[in-house]
Amino acid sequence: MPWTDDNLMSLQSHVLVEERHHPGATGDFTWILSAISLATKTIGNKVRRARIEDVIGELSEHNVQGEQQQKLDVISNEIIKSCLGSRANIGALVSEEEETPTVLRSHDDGGRYAVLFDPLDGSSNLDVSVGVGTIFSVVRLGDGVKGTPENMILTPESKQVAAGYVLYGSSTVFVLTTGQGVDMFVLDHSIGAFVLVKRDLMIPTSQKIYSINEAYVDRFPAGYRSYLEWAHEDGYSSRYIGSMVADIHRTLLKGGVFIYPPTDDRPEGKLRYLYEAMPMSMIIEQAGGRSIAGNQGRLLDIKPTSLHERIPVVMGSTDEVDHVERFLS
Ligand code: P6P
């Protein structure tokens, strides 16, 4: 039966079909994505029950970013590690919540991939039931690259081969790219599976929406302030949730531009390159949009030098990113 819009396609079956486009694919990839699917279903259940299970709120600890850890940050981090740790082809895990990578196995022992993730982005919004999410990037480690896990992940020979996020919002939405476009799934709780709802998502080329925290406007570089003045005069709407996964998901579906600029106190911006900006940039580009690191050009052309480095972010509809870029150059 040819694939049609009314076929029921789960995330697992979709990835198996996609794998056929990759001659020589060994099923490694499907195995990793199935672990991410299991982990995010579990996290979604925890997020929905957070208030009931009293896991709302902060821990006394701070993470490597110096940010107050939420109880669910730590729980989500452990869930992802316990699901991915059993996958025989993963060499290392990098989490926003941990300073150093979790090394699972060497390249010689079959560790072909690294998975980089923010287990629960936007978690400070949990106690007010605002959409939060998991962001992940799958990196194929360069063959024959030796050295510390950090060097293996950061070497130019290692390539991002998949990226995605799961938004725990009014529904649990899984957005994924493996380099062949962007597909969207929604968790059907009645069968416990992510079902395909949209193939080849394309971001609108223009939309008069900008998403930025204007409270910091006095600390932005002049180019961003000039862009905002222009946008105000040109009748733009402002939409800002303060949870990157929710802001990017709206931008992907409706169009517009998401901006997290450098500020006086954070000259590199706030968002982390490896497990926030890099995966979201792959998704936006695969959907036909653009992603630049402020006035430094295409974000994915910039090679990170440390696991937790931050980078300015301007991503979304091509025309909208072009408008911002004009004011930054
Ligand atoms: P601000 C959440 O803490 C986060 O890392 C992203 O999800 C979000 O886009 C950003 O920070 C919000 O930061 O400074 O506007 O509160």
Side-chain angles (χ1 to χ4, degrees):
M1 181 179 181
W3 189 84
T4 63
D5 281 336
D6 58 4
N7 278 354
L8 178 62
M9 183 72 89
S10 72
L11 172 64
Q12 314 303 7
S13 44
H14 176 75
V15 173
L16 284 169
V17 168
E18 290 294 294
E19 204 165 77
R20 289 191 329 212
H21 296 309
H22 297 272
T26 59
D28 277 353
F29 212 46
T30 309
W31 199 215
I32 292 173
L33 289 173
S34 111
I36 294 172
S37 168
L38 175 62
T40 52
K41 285 182 205 171
T42 309
I43 292 170
N45 188 44
K46 285 286 181 190
V47 166
R48 264 193 313 284
R49 297 182 49 79
R51 189 66 77 180
I52 297 166
E53 295 181 1
D54 189 27
V55 287
I56 290 279
E58 298 174 343
L59 291 168
S60 53
E61 290 81 18
H62 288 69
N63 62 16
V64 62
Q65 323 294 338
E67 288 167 352
Q68 183 80 48
Q69 278 188 309
Q70 306 286 324
K71 290 176 187 171
L72 259 186
D73 282 331
V74 175
I75 293 169
S76 302
N77 189 51
E78 292 310 313
I79 289 169
I80 293 184
K81 287 171 64 179
S82 67
C83 292
L84 285 170
S86 61
R87 295 327 197 217
N89 51 16
I90 298 178
L93 302 175
V94 172
S95 169
E96 181 199 47
E97 298 302 326
E98 300 187 5
E99 182 152 8
T100 55
T102 300
V103 180
L104 297 174
R105 54 191 64 75
S106 70
H107 195 274
D108 295 343
D109 291 339
R112 292 286 178 278
Y113 296 89
V115 180
L116 324 175
F117 54 90
D118 182 350
L120 201 60
D121 180 75
S123 52
S124 53
N125 293 300
L126 267 171
D127 47 352
V128 294
S129 295
V130 166
V132 295
T134 298
I135 311 171
F136 65 88
S137 170
V138 180
V139 169
R140 179 158 176 82
L141 298 171
D143 290 332
V145 173
K146 303 292 183 198
T148 65
E150 182 159 6
N151 295 345
M152 289 174 66
I153 290 162
L154 297 172
T155 176
E157 286 80 12
S158 294
K159 299 280 180 250
Q160 177 176 234
V161 292
Y165 60 79
V166 178
L167 173 60
Y168 310 108
S170 51
S171 59
T172 301
V173 182
F174 195 123
V175 170
L176 171 69
T177 182
T178 61
Q180 312 288 325
V182 177
D183 301 311
M184 182 164 82
F185 305 80
V186 170
L187 182 59
D188 181 339
H189 292 277
S190 63
I191 57 173
F194 282 108
V195 294
L196 180 66
V197 293
K198 184 81 179 146
R199 282 173 76 95
D200 297 328
L201 250 172
M202 294 304 285
I203 187 171
T205 50
S206 62
Q207 180 67 268
K208 287 188 173 184
I209 298 174
Y210 65 78
S211 183
I212 190 171
N213 188 336
E214 284 193 82
Y216 310 146
V217 67
D218 296 337
R219 289 182 262 156
F220 293 160
Y224 293 94
R225 296 202 301 274
S226 304
Y227 163 75
L228 288 172
E229 285 163 20
W230 171 83
H232 295 156
E233 287 158 19
D234 204 43
Y236 273 64
S237 294
S238 170
R239 293 286 183 276
Y240 193 71
I241 301 167
S243 177
M244 186 186 194
V245 176
D247 279 316
I248 293 294
H249 191 60
R250 183 205 55 250
T251 304
L252 181 64
L253 296 185
K254 296 186 180 296
V257 60
F258 173 80
I259 308 169
Y260 205 105
T263 52
D264 301 343
D265 53 332
R266 281 188 160 144
E268 296 309 315
K270 175 184 183 184
L271 301 178
R272 275 67 58 156
Y273 183 97
L274 278 182
Y275 38 77
E276 290 175 331
M278 185 173 77
M280 291 305 203
S281 296
M282 183 178 181
I283 292 167
I284 290 289
E285 288 193 350
Q286 284 287 318
R290 284 193 70 202
S291 176
I292 59 175
N295 59 3
Q296 301 169 60
R298 181 174 179 257
L299 191 140
L300 291 179
D301 287 344
I302 293 170
K303 292 304 166 202
T305 54
S306 70
L307 292 180
H308 299 289
E309 76 182 47
R310 301 172 191 269
I311 190 164
V313 163
V314 180
M315 62 171 78
S317 301
T318 46
D319 295 358
E320 305 307 331
V321 173
D322 293 352
H323 290 320
V324 180
E325 191 172 43
R326 267 206 323 276
F327 288 92
L328 303 185
S329 59

